[in-house]
Amino acid sequence: MASDWEYIKLKDVLELVADNRGRNPESYSEQGIPVIDNYLIVSESYINLKSVKRFIDGNTYENFIRKHIQKNDVLITLVGNGYGQVALTPSKKCVIIQNTVGLRCNINNDNKFLYYLLKNNRKALMNLNIGAAQPSIKVGNLTDLEFEFPPLTEQKAIAHILGSLDDKIELNRQMNETLEAMAQALFKSWFVDFDPVIDNALKAGNPIPDEWLERGEQRQAMPSSDTDNQAIRALFPNAFEFTEEMGWIPEGWAKVQIKDIARVIKGKSYKSSELLESKTALVTLKSFKRGGGYRLDGLKEYTGKYKEEQEVKAGDLVIAYTDVTQAADLIGKPAMVIDDARYEHLVISLDVAVVRPEIDNQKYYLYGLAQTDAFQSHNYSHSTGTTVLHLSKNAVPDYHLCMPSDNLLNTFTNVVKPLFTSVNNNIGGIRNLEKLRDTLLPKLLSGELRIADAAAMVEDV
């Protein structure tokens, strides 16, 4: 360690400690200033503001919240199973209200360096637990912790090196969000809004059902280049038909339930004693992002037995059957399993079900369907419980849907499959970047690795 590194207590490098516990607003709004809660910090490697479910208005922010955090303040969870998790405040104006503390360095120290320092020392944070019923950290004990700090210039240099890797990781994540959004936008246009069917019906002079009249007017107002893809439109009918289960659907499309075209298989119950180091891992509730999508860090290594049908592979569609979030952010939500080179087998846990279509080209169609508001409303109406929500066994198998022709399904698959292939390729890049960051982190913070050498390694990436 360099001679100019110095042991300092956290409280001596801070200018702000924002602890708003016990100061929860009576009500929340649908938009406004985002509330960063404990669950969001624990469940997101990066705090994604798109995942925020609660907001407060400006008046509450100014008059109710005692201390305001700002972008790049360090957040630490204080209570619950995820205690001691560290994150950076994601935006200029947001709020923490309970079970979280915000830290801001004084002018002689760097916030991002403090973030990486605490992230590398989570075990020290967890050792502060004083809880009985549930883990808990006392803020005073936290700020009394002592760490070695280099001079400010070195702090900034270390934070820049590690931050550049995190920036690259975040860029890949954003690219993946964009690619998935593109696939879902196409699904919505073709199979929810039925745009090509409306275009065909308008051209043929066929009647448009009342519920599609506004959409028909929107399509008519569009430039002809937006509605004139003849090859695509030829795959769609030019009229609608009415069904009791689904209302108006494209004429001639098959009327089925998920159980008619796919098997829905629940996962394996397990004991905590079976969660030991292994080349097999469980896909659990933690494998789902809020609102749906697959998390790479949600696996649990597992040594127990399981049925062959409970093993999943990359590209399999899984559904969350349990939810412990306050806003029902997970129940019935879908994700597509992503390959993980660390494990030879992935197995779904009891809180998860896999949906296996009989025909492979139905997979992306079913994934798009599972993200729709109609599917989510159906699942929520078939959920029971208060603190913990449970999806009924038959909720997913009994869902009604209309199936397009095989030619149209093949066309849709051919368009969206490359998007998901790119997602998987980006994930490979993310893992390599994370591996390098996690290798450099302790070495830079201990002084074992020179800043110039670490910078060169990052530049090579």
Side-chain angles (χ1 to χ4, degrees):
M1 184 65 63
S3 59
D4 52 357
W5 287 51
E6 182 181 1
Y7 277 102
I8 309 175
K9 287 188 176 182
L10 277 186
K11 62 185 177 183
D12 294 327
V13 304
L14 301 174
E15 73 169 36
L16 174 75
V17 178
D19 179 14
N20 291 316
R21 285 184 295 175
R23 301 276 297 172
N24 294 339
E26 293 182 1
S27 62
Y28 299 92
S29 55
E30 294 183 357
Q31 56 184 349
I33 298 164
V35 175
I36 309 301
D37 60 27
N38 203 37
Y39 181 86
L40 190 61
I41 296 173
V42 171
S43 64
E44 301 278 358
S45 299
Y46 288 81
I47 297 178
N48 187 344
L49 290 177
K50 294 178 182 178
S51 300
V52 173
K53 301 297 182 183
R54 296 190 293 177
F55 303 84
I56 61 173
D57 58 41
N59 181 62
T60 304
Y61 177 78
E62 294 295 341
N63 298 307
F64 185 83
I65 301 300
R66 291 178 298 194
K67 294 182 179 179
H68 296 145
I69 57 172
Q70 62 189 30
K71 186 175 176 64
N72 289 331
D73 283 349
V74 179
L75 306 180
I76 304 174
T77 55
L78 300 175
V79 179
N81 292 333
Y83 77 108
Q85 290 276 22
V86 184
L88 284 171
T89 305
S91 66
K92 182 177 180 180
K93 186 179 284 190
C94 56
V95 174
I96 53 172
I97 54 172
Q98 61 181 356
N99 301 336
T100 304
V101 65
L103 307 178
R104 185 183 308 151
C105 287
N106 57 33
I107 60 173
N108 297 317
N109 294 278
D110 183 75
N111 268 25
K112 285 192 174 181
F113 174 82
L114 179 62
Y115 162 71
Y116 287 112
L117 177 68
L118 295 177
K119 188 174 182 179
N120 189 55
N121 286 279
R122 190 185 173 206
K123 186 174 290 186
L125 303 182
M126 296 177 71
N127 286 339
L128 298 175
N129 176 28
I130 59 170
Q134 65 173 340
S136 177
I137 296 175
K138 188 177 179 180
V139 174
N141 293 342
L142 171 67
T143 57
D144 271 339
L145 283 177
E146 191 173 75
F147 299 102
E148 277 194 294
F149 286 80
L152 180 59
T153 53
E154 287 188 54
Q155 290 184 31
K156 289 183 176 294
I158 291 170
H160 175 74
I161 291 169
L162 297 172
S164 65
L165 291 172
D166 275 334
D167 288 345
K168 294 174 187 291
I169 291 168
E170 179 62 9
L171 179 61
N172 276 357
R173 294 185 198 279
Q174 291 175 1
M175 289 173 62
N176 282 354
E177 286 184 5
T178 299
L179 291 167
E180 288 215 34
M182 290 169 61
Q184 190 60 21
L186 182 65
F187 180 90
K188 185 175 185 296
S189 175
W190 285 10
F191 305 121
V192 177
D193 296 331
F194 302 126
D195 288 336
V197 183
I198 291 173
D199 294 340
N200 287 344
L202 290 170
K203 189 170 184 178
N206 291 332
I208 305 294
D210 289 347
E211 64 184 86
W212 302 111
L213 284 177
E214 183 178 353
R215 188 68 179 174
E217 292 172 357
Q218 294 172 354
R219 299 297 294 177
Q220 282 183 308
M222 288 182 178
S224 59
S225 59
D226 290 346
T227 61
D228 260 359
N229 191 328
Q230 298 296 327
I232 296 299
R233 282 175 49 180
L235 298 171
F236 290 81
N238 62 9
F240 290 88
E241 61 178 291
F242 185 78
T243 67
E244 291 185 5
E245 298 86 2
M246 294 172 284
W248 292 96
I249 65 171
E251 187 177 67
W253 285 15
K255 296 169 280 294
V256 299
Q257 293 173 284
I258 287 181
K259 63 186 176 185
D260 298 325
I261 61 171
R263 295 181 65 209
V264 180
I265 300 162
K266 288 291 296 297
K268 171 69 178 175
S269 62
Y270 61 91
K271 302 174 183 177
S272 57
S273 60
E274 296 171 323
L275 300 178
L276 301 173
E277 185 175 345
S278 174
K279 285 294 184 180
T280 297
L282 289 171
V283 176
T284 70
L285 276 186
K286 290 185 177 180
S287 301
F288 291 80
K289 297 178 183 177
R290 274 190 173 187
Y294 192 77
R295 282 181 54 193
L296 297 171
D297 57 349
L299 299 175
K300 293 182 179 180
E301 294 187 359
Y302 174 67
T303 58
K305 297 180 180 180
Y306 57 90
K307 296 179 181 178
E308 183 179 350
E309 62 184 6
Q310 293 170 326
E311 183 174 357
V312 292
K313 301 186 184 303
D316 280 349
L317 170 60
V318 290
I319 304 286
Y321 258 65
T322 308
D323 195 340
V324 295
T325 66
Q326 293 179 341
D329 294 326
L330 295 180
I331 196 75
K333 297 299 190 294
M336 291 189 79
V337 175
I338 294 170
D339 185 39
D340 195 317
R342 296 173 299 173
Y343 302 109
E344 297 173 359
H345 306 280
L346 297 177
V347 178
I348 51 173
S349 72
L350 186 63
D351 297 320
V352 180
V354 59
V355 180
R356 288 205 172 96
E358 296 174 359
I359 302 173
D360 190 60
N361 73 350
Q362 295 172 346
K363 175 175 63 179
Y364 296 109
Y365 179 81
L366 288 174
Y367 181 52
L369 178 80
Q371 296 180 78
T372 61
D373 291 341
F375 184 80
Q376 293 305 317
S377 296
H378 167 84
N379 285 335
Y380 188 73
S381 68
H382 287 76
S383 300
T384 58
T386 52
T387 304
V388 179
L389 289 176
H390 297 280
L391 188 60
S392 69
K393 179 181 178 181
N394 294 324
V396 174
D398 288 348
Y399 186 76
H400 290 269
L401 67 150
C402 55
M403 287 295 297
S405 67
D406 288 343
N407 285 341
L408 179 50
L409 274 179
N410 287 335
T411 300
F412 178 71
T413 298
N414 291 338
V415 172
V416 301
K417 188 175 182 179
L419 300 179
F420 286 100
T421 299
S422 294
V423 167
N424 278 287
N425 291 339
N426 284 341
I427 286 167
I430 287 173
R431 285 184 172 139
N432 288 335
L433 291 166
E434 287 177 336
K435 184 176 180 180
L436 177 58
R437 179 201 62 198
D438 295 342
T439 299
L440 295 180
L441 179 59
K443 293 182 178 181
L444 282 169
L445 294 177
S446 67
E448 178 185 343
L449 183 65
R450 295 175 58 188
I451 290 174
D453 293 335
M457 296 171 68
V458 172
E459 184 64 29
D460 289 342
V461 173

